[in-house]
Amino acid sequence: MVDRSPRDPALDNAFKAEIVTLIPHLRAFARTLCGDATAADDLAQDAMMKAWDARASFQMGTNMKAWTFMILRNQFYSEKRRSWRQSQLDQEAAERTLVAVDDPEAPVALDELRLSLGMLPPEQREALILVGAGGFAYEEAAEICGVAVGTVKSRVSRARRALQAILEAGAYDRDGGAAGDAMRSILADAERLSTAR
Amino acid sequence: MARLMELDGGAGRLSDQNDSMKGRSPPERDAGDMIEHQSEQTSAGSEVNAAALDEARLRQQAIGVRLRQMFDEVVNEPVPDEFLDILRRADKSAEQG
């Protein structure tokens, strides 16, 4: 399957050095896809190994971040097709992940943003994450998701609107949260962040 | 419906509605809707509308900041040793193979 012909060790080292810098980003992307932190790290590791095995097909100097994200995404959806039961977002696991945020100062609104994101259709969520948080251009996100640029643009814009509506209505999936608090908290925090910088 | 308006004096009712709208901020809508509907607004409502548009932009910016923050929180976590171990092992088998 994979080209086993001898490779230039310098090339392998360069590849490895670059992929190491991408691990944190792969973990973050996997976390948004899986919800559960442990499953996300498994996914990120699988993707990293797939990328390593396929390194002969990667052209150094091209966009390795987009390439590895595409591998990770494909891996996620092929696993999901294989086993619905395992990959369906497990509510308990999601809650464990939220509790596992170890910064005690972490504002409540971050959890609410996560829960609200979880309510978006997967294709909207991933488009918004790639463009809004992952730092990808629309064109790159389109390549990663295997769809047209226009499709990504419309998914991102629909995701933004839906997310705001969910946050403002306090309609995210949690008991006891006061309606409207999430948006207020996010606004207050954005203000604090912008003045701090 | 149209006939009912005529019987009630439709014009008068409409102006009443306009008066009652003046002091009120427009209904909460998302940014996209506001942009789409902006051209339909009367000039009297444009100031209120611009303010609401700014507000909507502010909210979207705030969500954007939080979204990046959420992502970066994971990016900034220390990478578990497992990742580097796996790469090290892969590297060895590549040397042997």
Side-chain angles (χ1 to χ4, degrees):
Chain A
M1 186 181 88
V2 181
D3 179 16
R4 292 288 180 202
S5 61
R7 266 173 64 88
D8 180 358
L11 214 58
D12 272 0
N13 282 339
F15 183 93
K16 202 169 78 170
E18 194 171 345
I19 208 166
V20 165
T21 68
L22 294 173
I23 293 172
H25 301 270
L26 290 170
R27 291 184 73 230
F29 184 43
R31 190 84 61 94
T32 66
L33 290 177
C34 294
D36 177 52
T38 309
D41 269 0
D42 287 347
L43 174 64
Q45 284 168 14
D46 286 351
M48 188 184 72
M49 280 316 297
K50 273 224 153 71
W52 172 261
D53 287 342
R55 65 195 182 282
S57 70
F58 178 75
Q59 204 183 338
M60 291 302 288
T62 61
N63 192 339
M64 193 189 278
K65 190 178 173 190
W67 184 68
T68 52
F69 270 52
M70 186 165 60
I71 291 172
L72 187 145
R73 182 186 174 277
N74 290 345
Q75 176 80 3
F76 174 71
Y77 284 110
S78 71
E79 273 175 18
K80 206 172 168 177
R81 269 193 295 274
R82 268 204 298 275
S83 154
W84 275 103
R85 205 160 51 93
Q86 203 187 354
S87 58
Q88 267 175 340
L89 183 75
D90 170 358
Q91 192 55 39
E92 271 180 47
E95 274 158 22
R96 272 204 308 280
T97 308
L98 297 179
V99 173
V101 176
D102 40 31
D103 180 6
E105 301 273 89
V108 160
L110 214 56
D111 287 356
E112 263 128 26
L113 182 60
R114 275 195 195 95
L115 290 170
S116 305
L117 266 177
M119 292 176 72
L120 298 181
E123 69 276 7
Q124 286 184 24
R125 182 169 58 237
E126 70 179 3
L128 181 60
I129 293 287
L130 289 170
V131 172
F136 289 103
Y138 284 114
E139 289 74 14
E140 292 168 326
E143 208 175 312
I144 291 167
C145 299
V147 295
V149 177
T151 307
V152 171
K153 283 184 182 167
S154 90
R155 281 178 186 172
V156 169
S157 111
R158 271 182 295 158
R160 284 194 171 126
R161 282 192 245 176
L163 198 55
Q164 190 180 345
I166 292 167
L167 285 165
E168 277 168 4
Y172 42 86
D173 222 349
R174 175 193 267 182
D175 303 340
D181 272 1
M183 195 62 230
R184 255 200 303 283
S185 167
I186 282 174
L187 278 168
D189 218 64
E191 218 163 282
R192 185 176 59 77
L193 283 170
S194 64
T195 51
R197 266 169 202 175
Chain B
M1 188 60 196
R3 189 187 276 182
L4 207 73
M5 297 253 299
E6 268 172 36
L7 288 171
D8 281 348
R13 274 179 59 188
L14 281 174
S15 68
D16 281 349
Q17 271 180 349
N18 279 341
D19 286 342
S20 67
M21 285 291 278
K22 273 176 191 163
R24 229 194 290 158
S25 57
E28 292 250 332
R29 285 204 189 110
D30 60 51
D33 272 355
M34 278 187 216
I35 293 160
E36 280 159 26
H37 291 285
Q38 193 180 19
S39 56
E40 296 166 18
Q41 300 289 328
T42 58
S43 60
S46 68
E47 254 175 60
V48 181
N49 214 42
L53 207 65
D54 281 348
E55 173 72 12
R57 267 197 212 108
L58 192 72
R59 284 171 181 234
Q60 277 302 336
Q61 275 172 13
I63 291 173
V65 167
R66 291 307 234 127
L67 205 61
R68 278 191 295 279
Q69 203 191 354
M70 189 190 87
F71 194 84
D72 289 345
E73 203 178 77
V74 185
V75 170
N76 292 327
E77 280 177 16
V79 171
D81 292 340
E82 271 175 286
F83 281 87
L84 298 177
D85 288 347
I86 288 171
L87 265 186
R88 225 170 276 135
R89 278 201 299 275
D91 204 15
K92 259 184 205 150
S93 69
E95 276 168 25
Q96 284 158 7

